[in-house]
Amino acid sequence: MSELDWPEIIARLGIATAAAGAIGLDRDLHGKPIGLKTLGIVGLSTAAMVLLAVQFAEPGKITDAASRVIQGILTGIGFLGAGVIVHQSAGFRVRGLTSAACTFLAACLGIVCGAGQWKIVTVALVLAFVLLTVGRPIERRLHRMLGGKEERHDVESGLGDRRP
């Protein structure tokens, strides 16, 4: 068993909280039902659980116990994501999928921070912000270019999906 020192623990938990919180800030700024605090807590809590699990492993190794902790986190986070989707549902519309995916991403970033894999955290965070920033304009342009089915919003029945 190798015990991590205070600066390493603070870095892993702090970066997990900041990275996941940054994703939450993006969601909050876009008026979505999940924000900085919620996703910051998701990142912090997952990193804390992974840190606990890796404390009992050889340095640089993920044990079976740590693997089970990670599996449990990823299973449980689905309930939080489902809550985001159901909370926003009205009629038969499915809304909040990107925020639910961001919840899953925040959990994954927490796991990766807990494992201390900084390069993976950096690349994942950059790619996430690229997707969140330019994803929708690219989707719209590709729909127009490729003749994809435009999503419609039927106010009377509450069916369909509307993109602002």
Side-chain angles (χ1 to χ4, degrees):
M1 172 167 70
S2 75
E3 191 166 321
L4 297 172
D5 58 358
W6 283 106
E8 185 68 18
I9 292 170
I10 292 168
R12 290 184 187 196
L13 295 179
I15 292 170
T17 304
I23 299 290
L25 179 61
D26 173 83
R27 298 287 74 209
D28 193 43
L29 291 174
H30 287 90
K32 302 304 179 180
I34 200 161
L36 183 142
K37 291 185 297 185
T38 303
L39 291 186
I41 290 169
V42 167
L44 172 61
S45 58
T46 55
M49 290 298 93
V50 172
L51 266 178
L52 177 64
V54 299
Q55 283 284 84
F56 299 105
E58 292 179 41
K61 301 245 181 181
I62 298 288
T63 63
D64 285 342
S67 174
R68 285 191 298 277
V69 166
I70 292 168
Q71 290 169 11
I73 289 169
L74 295 179
T75 300
I77 207 68
F79 288 102
L80 186 58
V84 171
I85 295 167
V86 170
H87 174 73
Q88 285 296 304
S89 292
F92 292 105
R93 292 188 340 200
V94 175
R95 310 262 309 158
L97 288 176
T98 301
S99 291
C102 286
T103 304
F104 187 77
L105 175 63
C108 292
L109 287 172
I111 289 168
V112 177
C113 286
Q117 298 297 315
W118 308 122
K119 291 177 186 175
I120 296 171
V121 172
T122 303
V123 172
L125 200 53
V126 167
L127 291 173
F129 278 113
V130 166
L131 282 171
L132 290 170
T133 303
V134 299
R136 176 153 301 167
I138 290 173
E139 280 180 337
R140 286 181 177 155
R141 180 172 290 144
L142 288 173
H143 273 272
R144 282 193 303 271
M145 286 173 39
L146 301 174
K149 181 180 174 186
E150 285 292 323
E151 296 179 5
R152 65 181 185 87
H153 180 66
D154 185 348
V155 177
E156 297 291 323
S157 68
L159 298 175
D161 187 17
R162 177 182 52 162
R163 291 189 180 198

